[in-house]
């Protein structure tokens, strides 16, 4: 992630607060006439990575929304290194970089085996039901708690 | 539509109550590695056809939902005759077949020029905010009113 | 599947030649403003069900395409019984109904626990690289072989 | 675009070589349970903006691919300012920033009326059929030619 990190603020140079991996298989309609995963599919996979990192640390994004807390992507950056293909098994490695009072930063690597396909970074803002910025709830288990950090260290 | 109609109930043998056409251009990620529009994309186009038929007759599906009336697809049938390709200009011809007390039936033809690509049929149920069946609102301008019929006859 | 079956030809009244199940978790962008899985998403899941049924019986759809054999959906029917929601764990139960000389029929049930959400049926045609109908390859492990039938019987 | 531009290299501070606008209506399944356009949808719209800018200047992306020239997104950045909603009419304003020997840079604004919803930037690499970098074809009408610049100046 050296490239995305170097052009970013200093938060991203720190070690991640937590890391989590998911594995998924590329679906047929996720691929385009070039035979590759279309570039607009990766943000969907990143979101799955965040959701599962939250679940792995005891959180539940659906319950969070039902309680009136929404996490909206306000910034997204992707670097496409190599294409994924139909039926590939890929992994999304999600890292929590920073969880500030109103924003949360993650970095991602999409891998096929040890091959880096895509690297990415997102910034989320915490919103209420009316779409206004609100503080990230204290106790929000975003992978920053010790249990998740341990999980990530496997 | 002879094939879908012949195996259907007698409502679909009647002349459509109204017909409307939209044109759209095939998007790159709507196509799969075969180079053809993926079969799961057509239901999205059919929904656009219904929405625009409603708009052409003075209705507004967004306003309908805001007032607590939802139209849910409860049945969908598609026959794929010929593939559409990236960048093709295609037309979706939507016909209102029947608007009963709680259900609405449409038939569709997806065309490229005069070539029939896909024919389809949907049944919609009218639901309230809690997902319970409710009567189709009287005055719901689903293309069945004279103005729309005239529009369709252009 | 009584409803879809009763209106269908006699092939579908037979016991399935093989059955396979996959489990998947509903993704956020698969859901629409009603909060439910959009009806156009289910055909994507059905395709995943077919692919995994083929893999479970030793087949490989990607390799099949690379060898010049394509399976195109020529007919699709869906009945929507109850909505799936974001983050639900659902199962797609795929049944091979018939594998004729040039066409293959499957039936499907999408379930959440024991609750039936959607039932569906597809007909696939076997095509060559130029999109012409060709015979289903003998030895194509479409779940119809004894190993897969045993797998399905688990 | 001040924010994306200020953190970028000096090419993007230059006046765009060409600008083009498309209008589109938000589709129902492009919106998520929050009721907003899902963030993964915008890259699809940006691609449509590029395609139509190319067409407006006399080019044809489909023909380009058929001749063995592929333009792959290698970098994508998006800033989400305000949400778009179902049925909104939005415009995508595409600007060609730079067309180098092997890479092409575009910037984008997604607008609803005069309201800025999303700003974005992409870098495309020119590839051959085998996925190897190749020079951007001379004469490739990417909006940089005088006709297109005139078109954009309307």
């Amino acid at each position: 992630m050296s490239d995305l990190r170097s052009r970013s603020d200093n938060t991203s140079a720190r070690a991640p607060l937590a890391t989590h991996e998911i594995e998924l298989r590329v679906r047929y309609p996720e691929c385009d006439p070039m035979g590759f995963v279309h570039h607009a599919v990766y943000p969907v996979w990143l979101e799955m990575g965040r959701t599962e990192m939250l679940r792995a640390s005891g959180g539940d994004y659906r319950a969070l929304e039902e309680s009136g807390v929404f996490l909206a992507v306000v910034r997204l950056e992707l670097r496409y290194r190599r294409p994924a293909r139909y039926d590939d098994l890929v992994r999304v490695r999600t890292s929590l970089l920073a969880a500030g009072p109103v924003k949360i930063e993650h970095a991602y690597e999409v891998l096929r085996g040890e091959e880096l396909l895509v690297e990415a970074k997102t910034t989320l803002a915490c919103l209420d039901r009316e779409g206004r910025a609100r503080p990230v709830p204290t106790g929000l288990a975003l992978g920053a708690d010790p249990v998740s950090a341990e999980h990530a260290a496997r």
Side-chain angles (χ1 to χ4, degrees), chain A residues 9 20 23 31 55-56 65 82 112 122 129 132 136 143:
Chain A
D9 55 284
H20 184 70
E23 188 181 60
C31 298
R55 196 190 318 277
E65 282 207 351
R82 285 183 188 79
R112 180 179 49 211
T122 55
R129 228 178 268 282
R132 292 171 305 217
V136 175

Side-chain angles (χ1 to χ4, degrees), chain A residues 60-70 129:
Chain A
D60 179 341
Y61 185 67
R62 179 163 68 175
L64 206 60
E65 282 207 351
E66 285 164 4
S67 76
V69 178
F70 297 83
R129 228 178 268 282

Side-chain angles (χ1 to χ4, degrees), chain A residues 44-134:
Chain A
V44 176
W45 295 354
L46 306 183
E47 184 178 57
M48 292 167 67
R50 289 193 301 276
T51 302
E52 297 306 321
M53 187 165 87
L54 178 58
R55 196 190 318 277
S57 67
D60 179 341
Y61 185 67
R62 179 163 68 175
L64 206 60
E65 282 207 351
E66 285 164 4
S67 76
V69 178
F70 297 83
L71 296 173
V73 175
V74 294
R75 185 164 167 174
L76 174 62
E77 292 178 67
L78 294 128
R79 296 291 187 93
Y80 302 89
R81 301 299 186 191
R82 285 183 188 79
R85 284 188 166 80
Y86 166 58
D87 212 48
D88 280 349
L89 270 177
V90 298
R91 284 172 297 128
V92 180
R93 184 181 290 158
T94 304
S95 298
L96 177 66
L97 294 187
V102 295
K103 293 200 177 170
I104 302 165
E105 285 183 41
H106 293 87
Y108 312 83
E109 292 174 305
V110 181
L111 303 148
R112 180 179 49 211
E114 291 312 307
E115 195 181 9
L116 177 62
L117 305 180
V118 168
E119 46 188 350
K121 201 174 149 189
T122 55
T123 306
L124 308 183
C126 196
L127 305 178
D128 65 15
R129 228 178 268 282
E130 282 69 44
R132 292 171 305 217
R134 52 148 291 160

